[in-house]
């Protein structure tokens, strides 16, 4: 510990010497911020309802018991938990002033945020492989995308997410934190926590970059390569209807990929000098609540099978009430 830190009264502390951290509220009490807070609550509610409905529809309708929709149900399942790791705490902090979070609680929030986030990154890449097989090798699709293969793909995503979260959480929490316990963010995210560290984090930032390459850039490269092959196959199709259907299905997945990966690349791959707390808050809103809300909308509005299943379930519920 340097003399400058001692003179400033900002000596290092850890979980044994303090109650934890204090999170910065995303909103203040101004009318505009109150409106924005209400909007976030509405979007979070829609995200929970939409993803829960998507999981239920895929489970309830036998026509959706295919590899693509099985992976989509896993995506919705992940989004339910991914957005719930951070947003309820943010809501409670604004409404009741519960902005403090214990050291252990902060570590748990960090772990589950990275766990579900990294798992979703890997799953989105594997969903691109599913589309590649369906369009480029349709005759081999049943064998290449068997139920066992789908289960292995999902298990690999969850295992990769767990490994990434375990490494990053353990390394982040082993640093000494100094003086101020106030995190300039509305949840415990690695870049914001590193600003409170009173030690050299250069080596760890290299580790973060490597994990970012594995979890973000490699999946992006895999998705790009998959869609390059898909585009070549689509351009070679003689059927206009076949082209339209293939492009509609792939465009939904590409939209979700861009909305999710883009903000994450900004947060975890750009140097700290390109960041500010205000910018990080805005960017984080995209992947913590906005993208999970848009995922079921994007996949359902442009998909006749999902909308058909929705009408079928609503019709059954209506007939049940009449009976």
């Amino acid at each position: 510990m340097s003399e400058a830190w001692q003179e400033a009264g900002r000596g290092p502390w850890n979980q044994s010497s303090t109650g934890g951290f204090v999170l910065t509220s995303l909103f203040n009490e101004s009318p505009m911020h109150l409106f924005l807070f209400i909007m976030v609550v509405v979007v979070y509610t829609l995200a929970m309802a939409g993803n829960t409905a998507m999981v239920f529809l895929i489970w309830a309708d036998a026509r959706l018991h295919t590899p693509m929709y099985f992976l989509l149900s896993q995506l919705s399942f992940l989004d339910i938990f991914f957005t719930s790791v951070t947003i309820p705490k943010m809501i409670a902090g604004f409404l009741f002033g519960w902005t403090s979070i214990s050291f252990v609680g902060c570590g748990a929030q960090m772990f589950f945020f990275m766990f579900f986030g990294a798992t979703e990154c890997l799953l989105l890449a594997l969903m691109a492989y599913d589309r590649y097989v369906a369009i480029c090798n349709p005759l081999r699709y049943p064998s290449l995308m068997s139920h066992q293969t789908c289960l292995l793909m999902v298990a690999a995503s969850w295992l990769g997410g767990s490994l990434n979260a375990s490494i990053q959480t353990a390394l982040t929490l082993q640093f000494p934190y100094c003086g101020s316990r106030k995190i300039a963010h509305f949840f415990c995210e690695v870049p914001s926590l590193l600003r409170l560290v009173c030690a050299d984090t250069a080596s760890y930032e290299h580790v973060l970059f490597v994990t970012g390459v594995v979890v973000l850039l490699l999946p992006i490269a895999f998705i790009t390569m998959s869609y390059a092959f898909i585009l070549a196959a689509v351009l070679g199709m003689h059927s206009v209807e076949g082209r339209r259907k293939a492009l509609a299905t792939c465009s939904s997945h590409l939209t979700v990929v861009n909305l999710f990966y883009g903000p994450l690349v900004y947060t975890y791959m750009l140097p700290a000098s390109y960041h500010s707390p205000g910018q990080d808050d805005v960017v984080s809103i995209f992947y913590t609540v906005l993208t999970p809300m848009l995922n079921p909308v994007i996949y359902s509005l442009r998909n006749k099978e999902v909308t058909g299943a929705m009408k079928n379930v609503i019709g059954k519920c209506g007939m049940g009430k009449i009976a």
Side-chain angles (χ1 to χ4, degrees):
M1 181 179 63
S2 68
E3 294 181 2
W5 283 109
Q6 290 178 335
E7 291 173 359
R10 296 169 61 86
W13 53 267
N14 54 32
Q15 64 270 40
S16 64
S17 59
T18 184
F21 298 98
V22 177
L23 299 171
T24 302
S25 178
L26 188 60
F27 308 103
N28 56 39
E29 296 180 357
S30 68
M32 177 56 72
H33 277 230
L34 180 60
F35 171 76
L36 293 174
F37 169 75
I38 293 172
M39 290 301 298
V40 169
V41 173
V42 169
V43 170
Y44 171 68
T45 304
L46 291 175
M48 295 297 290
N51 284 291
T52 302
M54 185 66 75
V55 172
F56 173 74
L57 279 176
I58 294 172
W59 172 79
D61 196 306
R63 292 173 298 178
L64 301 182
H65 292 175
T66 63
M68 182 181 77
Y69 290 110
F70 172 72
L71 296 177
L72 181 56
S73 70
Q74 290 296 310
L75 179 66
S76 292
F77 185 74
L78 280 171
D79 277 336
I80 291 171
F81 289 99
F82 180 60
T83 192
S84 296
V85 170
T86 57
I87 301 303
K89 174 65 177 174
M90 182 271 289
I91 294 174
F94 179 81
L95 293 178
F96 308 110
W98 298 343
T99 56
S100 63
I101 185 169
S102 68
F103 194 91
V104 174
C106 187
Q109 189 181 55
M110 189 192 319
F111 172 84
F112 285 109
F113 173 79
M114 288 189 291
F115 172 43
F116 293 122
T119 301
E120 185 161 337
C121 286
L122 298 174
L123 184 64
L124 284 169
L126 294 175
M127 290 175 72
Y129 172 75
D130 170 75
R131 293 299 82 209
Y132 161 75
V133 175
I135 294 173
C136 298
N137 295 283
L139 297 179
R140 299 181 61 195
Y141 185 79
S143 60
L144 291 176
M145 290 300 297
S146 64
H147 184 65
Q148 183 178 5
T149 301
C150 291
L151 290 176
L152 288 174
M153 291 167 68
V154 171
S157 299
W158 285 78
L159 181 60
S162 176
L163 183 61
N164 172 75
S166 298
I167 293 172
Q168 292 200 23
T169 303
L171 291 177
T172 302
L173 295 183
Q174 56 89 29
F175 284 111
Y177 292 91
C178 300
S180 175
R181 299 185 298 120
K182 189 173 184 179
I183 299 175
H185 204 21
F186 65 94
F187 70 98
C188 292
E189 193 169 19
V190 172
S192 299
L193 275 170
L194 290 182
R195 296 191 186 104
L196 303 182
V197 172
C198 55
D200 183 13
T201 60
S203 298
Y204 178 47
E205 288 174 8
H206 291 313
V207 174
L208 277 180
F209 181 80
V210 172
T211 57
V213 169
V214 174
V215 175
L216 292 172
L217 297 189
L218 285 182
I220 289 174
F222 182 81
I223 292 169
T224 302
M225 183 175 63
S226 297
Y227 276 102
F229 286 117
I230 289 172
L231 181 61
V234 169
L235 292 176
M237 290 180 178
H238 299 292
S239 169
V240 176
E241 178 64 21
R243 287 185 187 180
R244 186 198 63 79
K245 186 175 180 180
L247 289 175
T249 302
C250 294
S251 62
S252 298
H253 182 251
L254 278 176
T255 303
V256 170
V257 165
N258 289 326
L259 288 172
F260 190 68
Y261 279 100
L264 283 172
V265 169
Y266 167 86
T267 300
Y268 288 94
M269 299 304 296
L270 290 182
S273 58
Y274 289 86
H275 293 249
S276 71
Q279 290 173 335
D280 287 348
D281 283 344
V282 173
V283 172
S284 296
I285 284 294
F286 273 88
Y287 52 76
T288 56
V289 64
L290 189 59
T291 303
M293 185 273 289
L294 291 175
N295 283 353
V297 175
I298 292 168
Y299 276 107
S300 61
L301 289 182
R302 304 194 63 182
N303 194 308
K304 293 182 179 179
E305 292 175 324
V306 173
T307 53
M310 191 179 303
K311 292 176 182 177
N312 186 40
V313 170
I314 292 174
K316 286 182 179 179
C317 292
M319 291 297 293
K321 289 182 179 179
I322 294 174

